[in-house]
């Protein structure tokens, strides 16, 4: 059968990436390139919707951007000087074409396409209310709730109806929307999910990460600020502030793992932050060892920082194959066990007889850590000391990240000592919360007023979780949702 690679199924996963452009002759082609750069944010499906001044055109497909948008005929069919695109990684609910974004609807005011990164945390309650009022949903995505709220709003203009819809939703969202009047981009009032703006010639671009701007040759202008709404049209760029101001709480895990290291998130180089995280980890958790070894690729920048701070040499003790996809055939237990080495293999000639500091970004279920430690021991490592470049992940995320339910999070069920015994390392230590904040340029975490959303570590959720409250209070079996 086909199954997810065992080294891939034990990571928190960013669910989506968005890209939008207005004013380029090759808008769809630029969007496809931008989505390539955002592929790490979602590998299950991709879609592009364009507007040619008369009609909207869409192509959505399961799978990677490459293979779905590498044909000239597909790009030519996406005519127009404006387009938006989306890459998707779903959580619960069905993985089906009807949930692939951008979602599109013909409203009374004209066509409306939307691409969403995040999670509407009151989507199920809103959906039930809309169903009672006669709305008929075509997907199980929370993103479609926004379309129905826009369609049923009584405000005079499409922009007013869009703002009215957003004022009814809770949670996290970075949105790129395409209308006949212009490209609309918006970030939730807390700025939980990232969104940036750039320029390519006379065209304006919005994207989840700056790396998408780099790949298409665009100039990075700035981050779209929390609670800011941007409208790009033939009249230029307008910036609106339709929400009451709140203290921003951007997702701290973007810096730990989600974003590509060559991106800039909210003004900070992700690569530099990850190196600083490694240095903090070394200061907090010293150990005598021969080599610092990263779990590739996510542990590499932190391992470099750890090595530089500790003076222990950095070495590639694990080699990753970049030619293995997220799935492969596993016909039996023996082959399944051997399949672990398809993607990561110990560099036995280097590590035999050595004491290793093994650096990874996080421990979720613990299955990956157990396999890696075992692999290094089988390759002859004398000691394996695991160091994690983030605090223990003890809580689920409800803001657009695929997180196991809390009972499946190893750190929610075990102490650090118990976790160490489970993964069979010689020692295990995590970065402290204050250390993580120091790496981001803060003095530490202010418990009463934290700078970031760190709910996956602290359990301090910055918004209401209405659907979760309904489930806990009433025991309702809420419909499964595929979040944006």
């Amino acid at each position: 059968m086909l199954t997810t690679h065992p080294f891939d199924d034990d990571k928190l996963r960013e669910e989506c990436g968005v890209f939008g452009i207005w004013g380029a002759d090759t808008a769809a082609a630029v969007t496809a390139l931008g989505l390539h750069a955002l592929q790490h944010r979602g590998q299950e499906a991709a879609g592009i919707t364009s507007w040619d001044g008369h009609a909207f055109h869409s192509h959505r497909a399961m799978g990677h951007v490459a293979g779905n948008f590498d044909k000239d005929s597909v790009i030519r069919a996406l005519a127009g000087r404006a387009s938006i695109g989306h890459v998707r990684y779903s959580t619960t609910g069905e993985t089906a074409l009807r949930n692939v974004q951008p979602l599109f609807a013909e409203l009374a005011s004209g066509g409306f396409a939307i691409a969403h990164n995040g999670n509407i945390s009151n989507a199920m309650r809103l959906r039930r209310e809309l169903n009672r009022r006669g709305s008929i949903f075509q997907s199980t995505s929370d993103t479609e709730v926004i379309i129905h709220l826009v369609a049923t709003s009584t405000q005079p203009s499409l922009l007013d109806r869009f703002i009215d819809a957003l004022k009814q939703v809770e949670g996290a969202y970075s949105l790129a929307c395409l209308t006949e009047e212009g490209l609309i981009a918006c970030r939730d009032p807390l700025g939980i999910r990232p969104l940036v703006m750039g320029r390519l010639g006379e065209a304006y671009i919005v994207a989840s990460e700056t790396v998408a701007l780099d790949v298409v040759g665009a100039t990075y202008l700035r981050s779209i600020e929390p609670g800011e709404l941007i409208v790009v049209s033939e009249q230029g760029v307008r910036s609106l502030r339709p929400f009451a101001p709140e203290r921003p709480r951007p997702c701290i895990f973007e810096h730990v793992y989600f974003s590509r290291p060559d991106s800039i998130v909210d003004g900070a180089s992700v690569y530099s932050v990850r190196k600083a995280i490694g240095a903090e980890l070394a200061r907090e958790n010293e150990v005598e060892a021969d080599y610092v070894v990263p779990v590739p690729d996510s542990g590499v920048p932190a391992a470099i920082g750890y090595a530089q701070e500790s003076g222990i040499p950095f070495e590639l003790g694990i080699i990753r194959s970049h030619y293995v996809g997220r799935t492969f055939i596993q016909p039996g237990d023996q082959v399944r066990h051997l399949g672990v080495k398809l993607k990561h293999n110990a560099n036995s000639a280097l590590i035999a007889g050595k004491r290793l500091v093994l650096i990874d970004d996080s421990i979720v279920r613990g299955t990956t850590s157990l396999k890696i430690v075992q692999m290094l021991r089988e390759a002859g490592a004398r000691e394996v000391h695991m160091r994690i470049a983030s605090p223990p992940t003890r809580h689920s995320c409800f803001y657009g990240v695929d997180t196991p339910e809390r009972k499946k999070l190893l750190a929610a069920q075990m102490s650090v000592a118990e976790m160490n015994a489970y993964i069979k390392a010689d020692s295990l230590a995590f970065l402290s919360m204050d250390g993580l904040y120091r790496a981001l340029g803060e003095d530490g975490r202010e418990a009463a007023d934290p700078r970031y959303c760190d709910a996956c570590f602290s359990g301090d959720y910055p918004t209401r979780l209405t659907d979760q409250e309904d489930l806990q209070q009433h025991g309702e079996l809420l419909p499964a949702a595929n979040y944006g």
Side-chain angles (χ1 to χ4, degrees), residues 44-46 60-63 88 90-101 103 138-141 482:
E44 287 193 351
R60 302 179 299 153
M62 307 305 298
R88 176 174 182 268
S90 69
T91 55
T92 56
E94 67 176 340
T95 299
L97 188 59
R98 65 176 181 156
N99 288 321
V100 179
Q101 298 185 34
L103 299 183
Q138 302 298 317
S139 76
T140 57
S141 169
N482 273 287

Side-chain angles (χ1 to χ4, degrees), residues 7 11 278 281 291-307 312-320 343-347 350-351 356-361 368 372-373 375-376 384-389:
F7 272 35
K11 292 288 185 184
L281 187 60
Y291 298 136
V292 175
V293 172
V295 176
D297 288 320
S298 59
V300 171
I304 294 172
Y306 191 106
I312 302 171
F314 171 94
E315 292 287 356
L316 295 178
I318 301 172
I319 306 301
R320 177 186 174 186
K343 195 161 189 176
H344 296 81
N345 190 39
N347 188 355
L350 172 76
I351 67 174
L356 308 179
V357 181
L358 182 65
I359 308 292
D360 204 356
D361 60 90
T368 293
I372 293 177
V373 170
M375 181 179 68
L376 293 175
V384 181
H385 301 275
M386 193 150 200
R387 297 293 180 265
I388 304 301

Side-chain angles (χ1 to χ4, degrees), residues 249-323:
R249 294 280 299 276
C251 172
I252 204 165
F253 218 87
E254 290 284 350
H255 296 281
V256 174
Y257 174 70
F258 296 141
S259 295
R260 266 180 48 164
D262 46 344
S263 281
I264 297 171
V265 174
D266 290 318
S269 159
V270 175
Y271 179 76
S272 296
V273 169
R274 288 178 187 168
K275 282 182 63 180
I277 285 173
E280 288 289 342
L281 187 60
R283 285 190 281 269
E284 291 184 352
N285 299 285
E286 294 183 72
V287 64
E288 292 186 5
D290 299 303
Y291 298 136
V292 175
V293 172
V295 176
D297 288 320
S298 59
V300 171
I304 294 172
Y306 191 106
Q308 290 176 348
E309 179 65 25
S310 67
I312 302 171
F314 171 94
E315 292 287 356
L316 295 178
I318 301 172
I319 306 301
R320 177 186 174 186
S321 169
H322 291 268
Y323 303 100

Side-chain angles (χ1 to χ4, degrees), residues 8 74 155 184 187 229 251 282 285 336 351 380 396 442 467:
D8 281 342
V74 173
Q155 295 296 312
I184 304 172
R187 197 173 175 194
L229 187 150
C251 172
N285 299 285
R336 182 179 297 113
I351 67 174
S396 298
E442 305 285 324
D467 291 339

Side-chain angles (χ1 to χ4, degrees), residues 268-463:
S269 159
V270 175
Y271 179 76
S272 296
V273 169
R274 288 178 187 168
K275 282 182 63 180
I277 285 173
E280 288 289 342
L281 187 60
R283 285 190 281 269
E284 291 184 352
N285 299 285
E286 294 183 72
V287 64
E288 292 186 5
D290 299 303
Y291 298 136
V292 175
V293 172
V295 176
D297 288 320
S298 59
V300 171
I304 294 172
Y306 191 106
Q308 290 176 348
E309 179 65 25
S310 67
I312 302 171
F314 171 94
E315 292 287 356
L316 295 178
I318 301 172
I319 306 301
R320 177 186 174 186
S321 169
H322 291 268
Y323 303 100
V324 178
R326 290 187 59 238
T327 60
F328 66 103
I329 296 173
Q330 295 184 336
D333 289 340
Q334 183 178 5
V335 176
R336 182 179 297 113
H337 175 71
L338 295 175
V340 172
K341 295 187 177 182
L342 284 176
K343 195 161 189 176
H344 296 81
N345 190 39
N347 188 355
S348 56
L350 172 76
I351 67 174
K354 302 299 183 181
R355 301 166 299 170
L356 308 179
V357 181
L358 182 65
I359 308 292
D360 204 356
D361 60 90
S362 61
I363 292 180
V364 183
R365 295 178 179 88
T367 52
T368 293
S369 302
L370 173 63
K371 291 170 184 175
I372 293 177
V373 170
Q374 179 184 0
M375 181 179 68
L376 293 175
R377 292 203 189 281
E378 290 174 351
R382 180 153 56 101
E383 296 176 10
V384 181
H385 301 275
M386 193 150 200
R387 297 293 180 265
I388 304 301
S390 64
T393 303
R394 294 193 172 102
H395 303 272
S396 298
C397 177
F398 300 101
Y399 299 121
V401 176
D402 178 28
T403 315
E405 53 188 321
R406 192 161 187 248
K407 67 182 181 182
K408 294 182 179 179
L409 294 171
L410 197 67
Q413 309 304 318
M414 296 182 183
S415 67
V416 173
E418 290 170 333
M419 294 172 72
N420 183 52
Y422 175 80
I423 67 172
K424 300 179 181 178
D426 289 281
S427 70
L428 170 67
F430 291 81
L431 182 67
S432 71
M433 190 76 85
D434 282 344
L436 179 56
Y437 273 77
R438 285 193 297 269
L440 284 156
E442 305 285 324
D443 293 333
R445 185 184 192 272
E446 296 182 29
D449 195 14
R451 168 74 176 80
Y452 293 90
C453 176
D454 53 28
C456 54
F457 307 131
S458 66
D460 177 13
Y461 296 99
T463 73

Side-chain angles (χ1 to χ4, degrees), residues 216-233:
V216 304
T219 301
Y220 168 54
L221 296 178
R222 63 180 179 86
S223 290
I224 293 175
E225 296 182 7
E228 184 180 14
L229 187 150
I230 297 289
V231 180
V232 185
S233 68

